[in-house]
């Protein structure tokens, strides 16, 4: 059974020195709690290993799945191309894709510490951001299926380009974004749309079959030669 013995909302409130209603407000609407109070409550939740199971129930009442995609630097071409690869998979699976731009590690932590945020989704794709041990544990306890792109955590399925092979192939451009073609820059392509498609399909498969083993998928890279080669 996850959590320490006696780990309840009452224990969290006592440990953080706040009222039960304040803890409840933090769990449901963290933006309505002051920064310092939120910090104390998060610290107490982590130290007590508390997880409010009731917050996962919202998923059972939806007729359509909802997938969250946490993405840094949202306008960057590499992230947009990955999202394009996901779109068809989620549409076919009748899932709504919700993209959440992450501006900082602090904002990532805020998302992953918010039970009301996590309970909105049936699955989560995290792009190019590392997840710490405490946050990984919280995601697992929330019964939320997670796939990571271009970052590795042994607790989750991961999709990554073969960067070591890419390094051996060239000291050239990387990702083959559109501007490389305009500049006639030879580049190493890592099939960005394909990585998004693969990650999306792996996530849908895990949602349908939760007992599927975790996978670490390495995608091939190739050199696209232009005038600079």
């Amino acid at each position: 059974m996850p959590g320490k013995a006696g780990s309840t909302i009452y224990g969290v409130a006592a440990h953080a020195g706040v009222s039960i209603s304040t803890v409840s407000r933090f769990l449901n609407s963290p933006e309505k709690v002051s920064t310092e109070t939120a910090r104390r409550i998060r610290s107490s939740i982590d130290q007590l290993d508390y997880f409010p199971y009731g917050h996962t129930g919202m998923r059972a009442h939806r007729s359509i799945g909802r997938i969250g995609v946490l993405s840094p630097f949202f306008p960057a071409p590499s992230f947009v191309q990955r999202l394009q690869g996901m779109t068809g998979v989620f549409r076919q699976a009748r899932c709504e894709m919700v993209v959440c731009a992450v501006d900082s590690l602090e904002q990532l932590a805020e998302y992953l510490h918010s039970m009301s945020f996590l309970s909105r989704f049936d699955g989560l794709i995290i792009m190019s951001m590392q997840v710490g041990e405490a946050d990984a544990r919280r995601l697992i306890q929330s019964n939320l299926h997670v796939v990571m792109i271009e970052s590795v955590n042994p607790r989750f399925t991961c999709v990554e380009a073969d960067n070591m092979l890419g390094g051996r192939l060239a000291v050239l451009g990387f990702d083959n974004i559109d501007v490389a073609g305009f500049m006639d820059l030879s580049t190493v392509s890592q099939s960005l749309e394909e990585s998004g498609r693969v990650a999306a399909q792996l996530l849908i498969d895990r949602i349908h079959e939760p007992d599927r083993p975790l996978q670490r998928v390495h995608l091939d890279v190739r050199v696209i030669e232009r005038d600079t080669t």
Side-chain angles (χ1 to χ4, degrees):
M1 177 179 178
K4 298 179 181 178
S7 177
T8 66
I9 191 172
Y10 304 99
V12 171
H15 191 275
V18 299
S19 67
I20 296 169
S21 61
T22 300
V23 176
S24 179
R25 188 181 308 116
F26 168 78
L27 293 173
N28 290 284
S29 303
E31 70 280 1
K32 296 182 180 179
V33 178
S34 71
T35 301
E36 174 57 24
T37 299
R39 184 195 64 77
R40 295 199 336 253
I41 294 173
R42 283 196 199 101
S43 177
S44 296
I45 286 174
D46 286 340
Q47 292 181 55
L48 298 178
D49 241 2
Y50 169 72
F51 187 82
Y53 286 96
H55 285 261
T56 63
M58 295 168 60
R59 299 175 191 144
H61 302 290
R62 291 200 299 267
S63 60
I64 187 170
R66 183 177 298 143
I67 305 299
V69 181
L70 299 185
S71 170
F73 317 118
F74 176 65
S78 60
F79 294 108
V80 173
Q81 289 180 38
R82 287 193 177 102
L83 292 173
Q84 290 171 341
M86 298 175 195
T87 301
V89 175
F90 291 142
R91 183 185 299 116
Q92 185 174 4
R94 295 182 55 78
C95 286
E96 175 187 5
M97 182 173 72
V98 179
V99 181
C100 304
V102 179
D103 297 326
S104 65
L105 292 177
E106 290 75 18
Q107 186 175 26
L108 175 63
E110 182 177 335
Y111 280 138
L112 300 185
H113 281 242
S114 171
M115 301 308 169
S116 60
F117 174 82
L118 296 179
S119 66
R120 299 173 191 171
F121 303 111
D122 301 283
L124 201 65
I125 289 180
I126 301 176
M127 290 204 285
S128 301
M129 293 179 287
Q130 294 294 338
V131 173
E133 180 61 24
D135 289 332
R137 188 168 62 247
R138 181 176 291 103
L139 287 170
I140 291 170
Q141 291 175 343
S142 72
N143 295 318
L144 189 64
H145 301 285
V146 176
V147 171
M148 306 188 72
I149 299 179
E150 292 306 325
S151 56
V152 177
N153 189 300
R155 292 177 177 266
F156 306 117
T157 286
C158 305
V159 178
E160 56 183 330
D162 192 338
N163 292 322
M164 293 184 65
L165 174 60
R168 291 196 299 270
L169 286 174
V171 293
L172 307 173
F174 206 82
D175 280 350
N176 192 38
I177 57 177
D178 291 340
V179 70
F182 295 129
M183 297 174 62
D184 277 334
L185 175 66
S186 296
T187 186
V188 176
S189 172
Q190 59 167 320
S191 303
L192 297 169
E193 285 195 32
E194 178 68 3
S195 70
R197 187 194 67 77
V198 169
Q201 190 61 59
L202 287 170
L203 183 58
I204 293 298
D205 291 345
R206 286 198 64 78
I207 291 173
H208 290 161
E209 300 178 55
D211 294 330
R212 288 173 67 97
L214 297 176
Q215 295 176 260
R216 185 173 176 183
V217 178
H218 290 266
L219 297 179
D220 291 336
V221 297
R222 61 193 177 94
V223 172
I224 296 180
E225 294 187 3
R226 298 190 177 95
D227 288 349
T228 56
T229 304

